[in-house]
Amino acid sequence: MNTLDWIAATFGPVMLTLPWTWPIFETLHFFGLCMLLGGIIVIDLRLLGFNKVIPTVASHDILPVVYAGLIVNTVTGIGFFVGDPHRYFINIAFQIKMLLYVIAGLNALWYQYKLSPRIDALPDGATLPSEARIAGAMSLGLWFGVLILGRLIPYLGTG
Ligand code: HEM
């Protein structure tokens, strides 16, 4: 029995025994992406210079909603994976999605621990460091990439 067989045998029944588990996970996966993408659109567009009426520091108040969405999608995403690991593990859209998810996560950590403290220390209306614009643009591109590839999973590779 290889690792994927073990995952399917051990955790698969959690996702497949009750008929409503998968549809509920799909619905939660959409709630999670709305919370995640909805929040980062406001934060990242501010970093790119839009909505200057909103102080950058104030846009950070949305971060708990973004992180809650990230947790919901990570848990429900793992649920999908353990429910049918053989199908998703070899799916090219899933593989690229996971790569973008990791890079987007590292970008978020960089922003949270390296850039955000510097931005919080700036006086109101001050010009943001160029790295902030880079982090904002990468975040938008990477998370929308995760979304698009999530949607393409049924259409690419193993379907
Ligand atoms: C955190 C950001 C994430 C976003 C924005 C996201 C977005 C999406 C979207 C839009 C879909 C298509 C849903 C559909 O129409 O059926 C999807 C499906 C999927 N996602 Fe995610 N996802 C995220 C995280 C994850 C993670 C972390 C995993 C795995 C560990 C994952 C695994 C999957 C799988 C396996 C599917 C296909 C489900 C199916 O076959 O219907 N996702 N995702």
Side-chain angles (χ1 to χ4, degrees):
M1 186 188 277
N2 66 28
T3 309
L4 293 181
D5 295 337
W6 178 80
I7 291 172
T10 311
F11 302 107
V14 177
M15 288 297 295
L16 303 171
T17 305
L18 300 174
W20 279 98
T21 309
W22 203 286
I24 289 171
F25 268 51
E26 289 273 9
T27 307
L28 288 172
H29 212 63
F30 267 88
F31 272 113
L33 77 86
C34 295
M35 293 160 72
L36 174 71
L37 273 291
I40 66 152
I41 286 171
V42 173
I43 296 169
D44 294 341
L45 287 180
R46 180 62 192 84
L47 294 176
L48 290 168
F50 295 89
N51 309 329
K52 283 207 166 96
V53 287
I54 305 176
T56 311
V57 179
S59 72
H60 291 171
D61 292 350
I62 302 172
L63 279 173
V65 176
V66 171
Y67 288 129
L70 184 62
I71 292 167
V72 167
N73 270 31
T74 303
V75 171
T76 52
I78 291 170
F80 296 144
F81 183 78
V82 301
D84 198 349
H86 298 92
R87 178 157 75 100
Y88 295 122
F89 187 75
I90 57 174
N91 182 295
I92 185 69
F94 178 76
Q95 292 169 353
I96 301 172
K97 175 180 174 166
M98 290 301 102
L99 178 65
L100 296 187
Y101 172 85
V102 170
I103 301 172
L106 292 172
N107 184 53
L109 288 174
W110 174 51
Y111 181 78
Q112 182 76 35
Y113 295 105
K114 293 291 181 203
L115 290 178
S116 181
R118 282 171 54 191
I119 293 171
D120 291 351
L122 289 172
D124 277 358
T127 305
L128 297 176
S130 57
E131 297 102 309
R133 280 194 292 283
I134 295 169
M138 282 184 60
S139 171
L140 277 177
L142 290 164
W143 287 120
F144 272 100
V146 169
L147 181 151
I148 292 166
L149 284 159
R151 183 60 277 205
L152 290 178
I153 286 173
Y155 303 99
L156 291 179
T158 54

